[in-house]
Amino acid sequence: MLLEATNISKTYGRKEAAVRALNNISLAIDRGESVAIVGKSGSGKSTLMHILAGLDRPSEGAVALDGRSLSNLPPTQLADVRNFAFGFVFQQFFLNGRDSVLENVELPLKIRGVEKSERTKAAMEALKQVELEDKADARAQDLSGGQKQRVAVARAIVTNPRVLFADEPTGNLDSKTGERIINLLFSLNKEHHIALVVVTHDEDLAKRCQRRLFLKDGSIVDSLDSL
Ligand code: ADP
Ligand code: MG
């Protein structure tokens, strides 16, 4: 199993202010699988994704990557796991607007200490995958929303991740542009066997995943496999 969560719960705050965002969730994601996490706003989707991705830690339970628990890793090692195994695409693109498109895509490799020429080569390759090689030198802030999200996808895949996490990746895009991003994510999933974990309340997007997990009040209330 690639990624496995066992009995995870998450409580934010304490005492009277405590909010139980996740309630005893277990799930397993295989290599190359596509899984949608669906549910209403506030149901715990983002919290679950953040915990699966090692961006946050569960209050109880554990997450394991390739059978190795992430629970006891110190923050720097957890950051390394994220940098080496995971790619992220968020609703808000989180690009550095003043930097060039190329610099934005190179960033995860720079953090990893990859030397400049190798970085540029990999970043240009990633930009080619999202059909934005011609924008490499443009400032990120000068791109359209759809282009920005494609840059975010290029940045997410530049490290050859095992899992691509996407939290409402089409939330800030019109439907036509969103469709293009969705097609891109699924082509990466199929061609490169990158597991895809998508948080969404877009039914059409969710249905294209092999499995849909329905969250309600922090619990998985249903799981459906696509035919
Ligand atoms: P979703 O992504 O499905 O909208 P979230 O995972 O963001 O849901 O939130 C689940 C619940 O946890 C909500 O009740 C939300 O208000 C609460 N929550 C999320 N993040 C925090 C936080 N940092 N501090 C306190 N409560 C939070
Ligand atoms: Mg959310």
Side-chain angles (χ1 to χ4, degrees):
M1 204 47 69
L2 177 63
L3 194 62
E4 198 160 15
T6 311
N7 301 120
I8 54 172
S9 296
K10 179 72 179 183
T11 303
Y12 291 109
R14 25 177 60 228
K15 299 205 175 146
E16 307 86 66
V19 176
R20 192 151 173 96
L22 293 180
N23 191 18
N24 199 30
I25 285 184
S26 296
L27 61 92
I29 296 166
D30 248 328
R31 181 174 174 273
E33 209 187 349
S34 56
V35 179
I37 300 171
V38 286
K40 287 185 184 156
S41 179
S43 58
K45 303 183 297 295
S46 295
T47 302
L48 177 57
M49 193 202 90
H50 289 164
I51 290 174
L52 289 174
L55 289 164
D56 197 359
R57 294 183 192 262
S59 310
E60 292 149 59
V63 175
L65 176 69
D66 293 322
R68 280 183 54 215
S69 174
L70 305 182
S71 304
N72 304 319
L73 293 181
T76 52
Q77 279 187 41
L78 190 60
D80 279 348
V81 169
R82 279 199 307 270
N83 191 257
F84 279 81
F86 302 150
F88 297 94
V89 178
F90 296 96
Q91 178 174 352
Q92 318 83 335
F93 319 116
F94 292 127
L95 301 178
N96 297 316
R98 288 160 184 234
D99 290 346
S100 73
V101 164
L102 185 68
E103 285 166 326
N104 272 281
V105 177
E106 281 183 6
L107 189 60
L109 299 175
K110 198 170 178 182
I111 291 169
R112 240 189 231 197
V114 175
E115 63 147 89
K116 176 70 185 163
S117 64
E118 206 181 314
R119 238 159 53 205
T120 305
K121 190 162 163 256
M124 286 308 295
E125 186 53 43
L127 282 170
K128 205 162 149 191
Q129 303 242 19
V130 303
E131 295 172 32
L132 277 178
E133 319 96 285
D134 57 327
K135 295 286 183 191
D137 296 326
R139 275 195 192 206
Q141 65 195 14
D142 294 335
L143 303 183
S144 69
Q147 288 171 331
K148 283 179 185 156
Q149 195 61 308
R150 277 150 62 201
V151 173
V153 172
R155 182 184 53 189
I157 61 168
V158 75
T159 55
N160 291 317
R162 318 270 309 277
V163 188
L164 190 55
F165 290 97
D167 193 347
E168 304 280 7
T170 59
N172 276 330
L173 305 174
D174 63 70
S175 58
K176 191 158 163 271
T177 313
E179 181 71 22
R180 183 166 184 188
I181 295 294
I182 292 168
N183 288 337
L184 176 60
L185 294 176
F186 282 101
S187 77
L188 293 165
N189 166 247
K190 294 207 172 64
E191 285 164 28
H192 300 275
H193 301 286
I194 304 175
L196 195 57
V197 178
V198 194
V199 165
T200 185
H201 49 245
D202 176 345
E203 236 342 83
D204 293 334
L205 166 53
K207 276 185 184 150
R208 288 183 58 177
C209 293
Q210 290 169 318
R211 187 152 45 115
R212 274 170 288 166
L213 299 174
F214 294 85
L215 270 191
K216 191 181 176 194
D217 299 332
S219 297
I220 294 178
V221 292
D222 206 358
S223 168
L224 286 179
D225 290 326
S226 297
L227 298 175

